[in-house]
Every structure is written in structure tokens, then in C-alpha cells.
DNA sequence: CGTTGGGCGTGATATGCATCACATGGGGGG
DNA sequence: CCCCCCATGTGATGCATATCACGCCCAACG
């Protein structure tokens, strides 16, 4: 992948001078699918901009239960990395590449400098927070108010959108883990969805036919 | 209340020049207990800094169910107001004064200007986001992982801390609404807490004796 | 080629909580 | 002073989901 032109395309809103600097100082890091970018307790040293792929950001408790927070896509940035980096704090979250992924790491020192210098950077940081916050609220809504069948539909829609594909290669066990449920329950709900014609079940894979809102 | 000296005490980290400006342009607004500062769908025109009192920030769905997000205290700011103001968007949340409350409203135009000019303002905005984000994650954890009895304890602890008082004057009906439960269930759980000696129940009031973590 | 393990389907049962139905008791207004 | 409203207590019942127990299928691998 031609990272330079890619960066330019993804971050058009940056002033030319800022864009140039981003390309100069940003460290490109690649991650394989399933690889962890960040784990609970780990120190964060740089802000992360996504160039390619999808990153799942989630939270895990002591017993290994997880809560999905949101996915990050090209052109987006990790809000957590920004604040934690800025204050040298450790993160309380996990981040994992869903597919092969490429990110740009911006050293923390520059973040502050840029914020004071480039309006577009400051706007970008704010916008990053705003969107992550909204996404987190959306997640909260679903967990608080929706039943598992609706949350499963939501899960499928998220993945369809993030992966830009109607085929989701995940075991029911993993889906259950992500929704804080159990395999058996997901199995039964999936069967219902299949009966209603929303999905088609394959071995180790769910095909999304049409998910009405 | 002497607002000027109060502002100074609460926002010591601001550069003197910034502090002066904040005092000059900030509009002091007072709210009575139970009054709403912000409602879903309402347009936000200014960033809100809390001077005195406690503000409950929460989300409400179509059917009137609510999810508690976090409380705001003196010296803190509403992250939502900052981003929404900056982008002229409407909020998706509700904010309500728990007690008589005083806030400082900063016109949106100045936010951007200050961010480029004062390092301490930028830091403050970032820190505001970081803390709200963490609090929201904590809430998410509780809703996702904890049973109602633990969430009730958490609710009591939050109020104890926010109100700096061991007496919570709220009906079980209201507590139930906030925890997305029902009066009857709260009633039974409270009885258990009382039996264990954690609380003492009075008419229209809960006295917190000791809440062990 | 048999064994093993992982992913899945399905019934039975348990549990946490919501909901319904109704009782009690106190406080304020007519 | 009586009545009624409101906060609360409590049993019965129902629903969504978790958990347990078991069996099936298929693929990998010795």
C-alpha cells in the first residue's frame, strides 16, 4: 500500500503543512488479523490513526468477560490513545485488529504542539472524541435497553458495515463472548434469524442476507 | 457566593490571563435542584463549567427509560457540551441539577480560540474528555457485568460521594427509574441491605451507614 | 483409520428480575 | 377528622437468559 497517498486521501481535512508533518513523523505499524494493538494496563506512548483495516476496541473484566465498545476504521483515531498518551496514563481497554491493519503512530509530544498550531488538528481531536463518545453511548443504550436478539442484530450490522462484507467468519462461541452471553443462546437466536430469512448459516460463518432495521 | 474567587479556586490550573478571560466572558447561570440544564435534542451553544452543586448527566430513550452516565462536580466540565457546541450539533443527553447549582457558560466561539492560544485550556478540554470517558466506561462495566444489587450499592456510593452526605432523599420509584428497574425490586434489595446493616431506611430517605467495597 | 477436539443443536432446569395484584401506613388538605 | 395520595411491603406469576447435560458432525492428525 502506498501509505503517503493513502494518508492524504484519508486526512484531507488537515492543512497541507500538517499533513506533511504527519507523513514525516508518523510511524507506520502493521498488525495481522487477530493481533492485539493494546491491552489493559499497557502504557500508551502515541496517538493512533487508522490507515487501513478495522480495529475492535473493547473492555475486559477480571473474569475475562468483555464488552464491545466500537470499531475503528481508516481515517479515524483512537480517542483513548490520545488522552492517555497526553497524560502518560495506562489504558483500561483492549484493542485488537479484526483484519490485517495498518496504523500511523504519532508521538505524544507532537500532539500538544500541533493542537496549539494547527486548527485542523485540534478539530480532528475534538471530532474523534465526539464520535467515540457517541458510539460508546450507542453501545450503552443497546446494553441497557435492548434484548439479546436486538443486540445480536446490531452486532451483525456493525460487522457488516466495518468489514464491508456480508460474510462474518466468527464462531458462535466468540459472538457469545462479545455479547456477554452464552453459545447456546446465540445458537438458538441465530436459528430464529435464519428462519426469518435474515441470515444463512454456514460452517464457521454467518452470511447476512438482509437485516431490516 | 463570590463567583470570582470561586472560579479562581476551582480552575487554578488555568494561566492567569485565561482565568481572567474566563471570569470576564463566562456567563453565570443558576439552576434550582431538579431543574433541567439540557434535554435530548436541544441545541447546545456554549461549554459548561460547573462552579457549584451537582449535575446528573444521563440518557433517556423513547419510552422514558433512563441510563445514568455520570455526575458533574465543581471544577469539572461537560464534555458533551464542548463537542456539540464546537460543531453546532444537538445533544443526545439530558442534564439535571441534583441540588442548587451554578455553572459558567463559555460561548462556543471562544473555545476554539482559546484552544489555539492557551495550553492550559487545551489540557483542560482533553482532561475533561478523558475523565468523562472513563466514567462512562465505568458505568458501562456496571450495566454489562453487575447484578442489580451491586449496581444499587454503586448508585448509593455515587450519591454519597457526589452529595457529600450519608442521607439520600430519593424515593425508591426514582431509584428504580435510574437503574432501569422497578420499585418493587429496589424495595426488596433495600430491605436486604438494611438487614445487612449497610443502610437504614427512613421515610423518603435512605441513610448510608457503611458501604464496604 | 480411529481418535480427539472444536463447533454446533437441543432439551431440561435454574435464576434474576419484571410485572401484577393487593395490603399497609403516614401525612397533608379539605 | 376523615379521606386520599403517595411511598412502601409482599406474595404470585411470567419471561429472558444462563447453565447443565448430552449428542452430533466434521476435520485434523497420529
Amino acid at each position: 500500500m502506498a501509505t503517503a497517498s493513502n494518508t492524504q486521501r484519508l486526512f484531507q481535512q488537515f492543512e497541507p503543512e500538517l499533513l506533511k508533518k504527519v507523513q514525516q513523523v508518523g510511524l507506520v505499524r502493521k498488525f495481522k488479523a487477530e493481533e492485539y494493538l493494546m491491552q489493559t494496563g499497557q502504557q500508551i506512548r502515541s496517538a493512533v490513526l487508522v490507515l487501513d483495516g478495522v480495529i475492535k476496541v473493547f473492555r475486559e473484566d477480571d473474569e475475562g468477560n468483555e464488552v464491545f465498545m466500537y470499531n475503528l476504521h481508516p481515517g479515524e483515531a483512537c480517542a483513548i490513545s490520545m488522552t492517555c498518551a497526553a497524560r502518560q496514563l495506562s489504558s483500561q481497554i483492549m484493542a485488537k485488529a479484526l483484519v490485517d491493519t495498518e496504523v500511523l503512530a504519532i508521538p505524544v509530544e507532537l500532539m500538544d504542539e500541533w493542537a496549539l498550531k494547527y486548527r485542523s488538528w485540534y478539530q480532528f481531536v475534538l471530532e474523534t472524541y465526539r464520535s467515540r463518545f457517541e458510539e460508546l453511548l450507542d453501545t450503552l443504550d443497546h446494553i441497557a435497553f435492548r434484548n439479546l436478539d436486538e443486540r445480536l442484530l446490531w452486532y451483525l450490522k456493525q460487522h457488516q458495515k466495518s468489514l464491508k462484507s456480508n460474510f462474518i467468519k466468527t464462531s458462535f462461541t466468540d459472538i457469545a463472548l462479545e455479547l456477554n452471553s452464552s453459545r447456546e443462546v446465540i445458537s438458538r437466536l441465530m436459528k430464529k434469524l435464519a428462519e426469518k430469512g435474515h441470515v444463512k448459516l454456514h460452517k464457521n460463518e454467518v452470511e447476512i442476507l438482509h437485516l431490516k432495521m
Side-chain angles (χ1 to χ4, degrees), chain A:
Chain A
M1 166 167 317
T3 297
S5 72
N6 203 29
T7 307
Q8 190 159 11
R9 184 175 53 75
L10 290 171
F11 300 100
Q12 290 173 3
Q13 74 271 39
F14 288 174
E15 291 135 271
E17 192 186 322
L18 171 59
L19 192 58
K20 207 168 147 191
K21 284 211 187 179
V22 167
Q23 289 171 342
Q24 276 171 5
V25 305
L27 186 62
V28 177
R29 298 180 61 192
K30 294 168 197 255
F31 296 87
K32 290 273 169 214
E34 305 296 304
E35 209 176 329
Y36 286 91
L37 282 83
M38 193 190 293
Q39 304 207 30
T40 297
Q42 198 174 320
Q43 190 89 2
I44 302 176
R45 317 272 327 251
S46 47
V48 171
L49 311 190
V50 183
L51 295 177
D52 192 42
V54 183
I55 300 173
K56 179 176 96 171
V57 181
F58 60 105
R59 207 157 157 84
E60 212 176 76
D61 82 348
D62 331 321
E63 288 119 32
N65 305 309
E66 49 179 88
V67 217
F68 170 78
M69 289 169 53
Y70 42 70
N71 286 333
L72 296 177
H73 309 97
E76 297 179 337
C78 177
I80 312 259
S81 71
M82 286 178 167
T83 33
C84 290
R87 304 195 55 250
Q88 306 278 3
L89 296 172
S90 62
S91 77
Q92 291 307 311
I93 51 147
M94 317 268 287
K96 182 177 169 182
L98 286 187
V99 297
D100 290 357
T101 292
E102 211 175 299
V103 307
L104 202 59
I106 308 286
V108 54
E109 311 84 57
L110 292 173
M111 293 230 358
D112 279 24
E113 192 188 315
W114 290 354
L116 294 171
K117 203 160 164 189
Y118 304 108
R119 170 165 294 246
S120 64
W121 177 257
Y122 170 70
Q123 297 285 359
F124 177 70
V125 172
L126 268 198
E127 172 58 20
T128 293
Y129 272 119
R130 205 194 55 80
S131 344
R132 286 330 131 245
F133 217 94
E134 295 254 320
E135 283 162 1
L136 200 54
L137 280 176
D138 201 28
T139 302
L140 193 64
D141 276 358
H142 274 85
I143 295 183
F145 297 137
R146 311 296 179 176
N147 283 347
L148 203 47
D149 50 355
E150 288 188 74
R151 289 179 53 211
L152 180 57
L153 272 174
W154 185 65
Y155 173 93
L156 293 174
K157 269 178 262 172
Q158 295 264 6
H159 277 253
Q160 184 183 38
K161 201 166 46 166
S162 286
L163 302 174
K164 293 177 181 38
S165 160
N166 287 325
F167 293 86
I168 301 183
K169 289 208 307 269
T170 316
S171 72
F172 289 1
T173 310
D174 284 352
I175 297 178
L177 183 67
E178 233 174 285
L179 294 176
N180 233 312
S181 173
S182 61
R183 184 190 60 78
E184 298 93 316
V185 175
I186 299 298
S187 173
R188 288 187 247 259
L189 290 177
M190 278 292 191
K191 195 183 164 191
K192 273 196 209 164
L193 286 184
E195 279 164 5
K196 286 187 197 153
H198 292 143
V199 300
K200 196 165 170 182
L201 304 178
H202 306 274
K203 179 76 184 177
N204 251 336
E205 190 177 54
V206 178
E207 178 182 358
I208 297 171
L209 297 177
H210 49 271
L211 303 177
K212 64 159 189 303
M213 280 307 288

